[in-house]
Amino acid sequence: MEADQAARQDDLRALRARAVEILRTNDRGGYTVPTDGLYPFQWNWDSAFCAMGIATFDVDRAWTELESLYAGQWDNGLLPHIVFHHVVDSYYPGPDVWGAQHEPRTSGISQPPLTATAARFILARAGDDPTSEARAAALYPKILALHDWWARERDPGGTGLVGVLHPWESGADNSPMWDEPLRATPATSTKFARRDVAMVDAAMRPHQWEYERYIHLVELYRGLKWDGARIWAETPFKVADVGLNAILMRDEQDLLALAQRFGSPGDRGRLRARAERRQEGLETLWDGQAGSYFSRDLVSGRALKIASHAGFLPLWGGLENTDRADRLAAELGRWVAQCRYGAPTMSPDDPLFDQKRYWRGPVWGIVNWMLGDGLARHGHDDLARRLRADFRALVMRSGFREYFDPLTGDGLGGEVFSWAAATALAWAFD
Ligand code: DGY
């Protein structure tokens, strides 16, 4: 028994060392690429997760991760989903397709915001370090500007819910949640060569019909010169994503905590008022009959009744209604019970479940992290423990992969993946 436990500890020590090595290998000099080749630049939410992983062994470098991401911030507060620090040819669509006027070059949409959460996480690891205090203070107004951008540009009606204008902005690119609004989006007429399917099995990536619409949206917004008001008015793809809204809600709570140290009374008042509106906005996505939160298409006005992982992310965002939290935990437990490794990104008994295709079924480490944390926050420790144990088992079996098959445990997508390493260090092996 003792020998077994010692062997397990040795395994975990070796995996921790491997995770640190991955984050160092994927360091391109002040920023971390998600993985070599497939994603050769700095991605917004990847970097926030990486910063938390890096903070477990190098607080100084963790701050640099966030600072280099904010080098891409636009004057209006938008934090782009990609910062193209250096020219690399292995990715499509590159900076010229986006056509955004910024130096360093960037994309023109954002991604789920986690930088206040990350800054707070790093601060907690830093103890009483005055340099960390100063770096957090310098980041604070930039993170506030990002949140003001979300409120101003992506919720012009002040509903408390923000809209995403591209499936990539949700982070869950090809989730079945986007099938209906994407079908109402025209395809591009541009001929383009995808690079992703040259590096990863096409069966694990979005379909071509989806890519044709992803590129149409980029071209449309580029044609509108990235003018936020015109894009909001003219886009065919505008969705209140429950996942992104829940993540935004959590980031704003962490921002309010930062504002207690670094902000003004005016900032705190604004953030408190916004937090109330966010809770109210989120509750308008609740479907009592289904016992779930669903995203809403802001163009058609219809609820997108898809059983995806995003419906559980309000647990991470923080729910005041404990009855709803209990219902979510029970349903998630039912999904996990049908898998060898949870949590999947689609209900396994849904006809749309696809165990290998990106956001249509596979297990993602960062999703387990957010759900596990959210479950623990609402007192569902057993299920939270199961998600941590499943992620550890997946990494031991298949390595630090981008995502995993929930039925077999096979590793999928990119290899040597930064946020899998960060998830291990900051959450699953912590
Ligand atoms: C990709 O290229 O697959 C990314 O998810 C888009 O940001």
Side-chain angles (χ1 to χ4, degrees):
M1 192 67 193
E2 266 175 33
D4 273 4
Q5 233 172 12
R8 243 188 104 253
Q9 286 305 330
D10 281 351
D11 283 350
L12 276 181
R13 248 193 302 277
L15 280 168
R16 247 193 227 111
R18 175 72 187 129
V20 171
E21 188 188 315
I22 287 175
L23 287 167
R24 293 205 165 115
T25 304
N26 288 342
D27 182 345
R28 292 290 174 277
Y31 69 95
T32 308
V33 296
T35 187
D36 196 37
L38 187 61
Y39 304 118
F41 308 106
Q42 187 173 26
W43 260 261
N44 179 332
W45 72 327
D46 290 76
S47 265
F49 286 113
C50 286
M52 293 190 258
I54 296 167
T56 64
F57 61 91
D58 187 346
V59 162
D60 175 56
R61 176 62 185 78
W63 287 119
T64 307
E65 188 70 28
L66 296 183
E67 289 158 0
S68 58
L69 180 64
Y70 272 91
Q73 187 171 37
W74 291 11
D75 289 346
N76 67 0
L78 179 146
L79 189 64
H81 98 297
I82 306 176
V83 186
F84 300 104
H85 289 285
H86 296 110
V87 182
V88 180
D89 201 27
S90 63
Y91 183 79
Y92 180 87
D96 291 341
V97 182
W98 291 92
Q101 302 302 311
H102 190 277
E103 202 47 56
R105 311 283 312 268
T106 68
S107 70
I109 55 169
S110 200
Q111 239 178 0
L114 285 127
T115 50
T117 301
R120 211 174 157 204
F121 184 100
I122 306 171
L123 268 179
R125 295 281 163 155
D128 287 334
D129 165 28
T131 316
S132 282
E133 191 81 4
R135 292 172 88 173
L139 269 173
Y140 166 75
K142 301 179 184 180
I143 307 176
L144 185 65
L146 168 65
H147 279 263
D148 287 345
W149 174 85
W150 276 108
R152 191 182 62 245
E153 305 253 338
R154 296 306 169 85
D155 180 20
T159 63
L161 284 176
V162 299
V164 301
L165 305 186
H166 197 293
W168 289 340
E169 199 157 66
S170 74
D173 303 8
N174 70 334
S175 167
M177 282 186 290
W178 317 137
D179 288 359
E180 183 180 316
L182 260 196
R183 279 198 200 99
T185 300
T188 181
S189 53
T190 306
K191 294 274 162 275
F192 61 91
R194 285 176 64 176
R195 307 285 162 84
D196 59 324
V197 286
M199 285 173 271
V200 168
D201 181 350
M204 300 174 189
R205 295 286 304 174
H207 290 106
Q208 182 64 16
W209 77 268
E210 293 166 306
Y211 251 84
E212 287 165 3
R213 282 149 183 89
Y214 299 159
I215 300 306
H216 167 78
L217 290 171
V218 174
E219 291 173 335
L220 174 70
Y221 302 160
R222 185 187 66 211
L224 295 171
K225 306 210 174 332
W226 297 106
D227 175 332
R230 289 189 64 196
I231 291 175
W232 181 266
E234 292 181 35
T235 183
F237 187 95
K238 183 162 44 183
V239 181
D241 167 19
V242 60
L244 188 136
N245 276 281
I247 293 170
L248 177 69
M249 200 163 111
R250 171 68 171 267
D251 205 56
E252 227 148 56
Q253 290 155 20
D254 288 318
L255 183 57
L256 180 57
L258 295 177
Q260 313 287 3
R261 283 161 84 167
F262 309 114
S264 68
D267 295 350
R268 291 192 282 276
R270 186 155 94 248
L271 290 169
R272 274 197 204 98
R274 219 179 264 165
E276 264 176 46
R277 272 207 310 284
R278 296 239 174 280
Q279 282 281 348
E280 288 163 14
L282 192 75
E283 290 315 313
T284 66
L285 301 181
W286 175 254
D287 180 326
Q289 215 174 5
S292 185
Y293 290 91
F294 293 124
S295 299
R296 184 182 309 127
D297 186 333
L298 296 176
V299 175
S300 71
R302 273 201 295 273
L304 300 167
K305 297 195 178 185
I306 297 291
S308 90
H309 70 285
F312 301 109
L313 283 172
L315 292 165
W316 163 262
L319 283 173
E320 280 163 7
N321 187 322
T322 51
D323 179 50
R324 288 186 185 168
D326 293 348
R327 284 182 76 179
L328 293 182
E331 177 63 2
L332 184 59
R334 201 184 65 75
W335 288 22
V336 171
Q338 296 172 67
C339 300
R340 192 147 156 211
Y341 304 93
T345 37
M346 268 298 285
S347 172
D349 50 18
D350 192 295
L352 293 171
F353 173 76
D354 181 340
Q355 68 198 75
K356 297 211 181 313
R357 199 179 285 280
Y358 214 39
W359 289 93
R360 301 178 84 89
V363 182
W364 291 71
I366 51 135
V367 171
N368 270 21
W369 177 353
M370 291 188 284
L371 294 180
D373 176 288
L375 286 163
R377 219 175 161 191
H378 291 87
H380 294 278
D381 294 314
D382 287 351
L383 190 52
R385 262 195 296 276
R386 160 96 199 249
L387 296 192
R388 275 165 62 114
D390 281 9
F391 183 71
R392 283 198 299 265
L394 283 166
V395 168
M396 283 189 192
R397 183 188 182 284
S398 302
F400 292 87
R401 297 296 298 262
E402 186 178 7
Y403 42 101
F404 303 87
D405 184 324
L407 304 183
T408 65
D410 289 347
L412 305 169
E415 299 177 20
V416 191
F417 218 86
S418 297
W419 71 13
T423 300
L425 292 168
W427 176 69
F429 298 178
D430 193 29

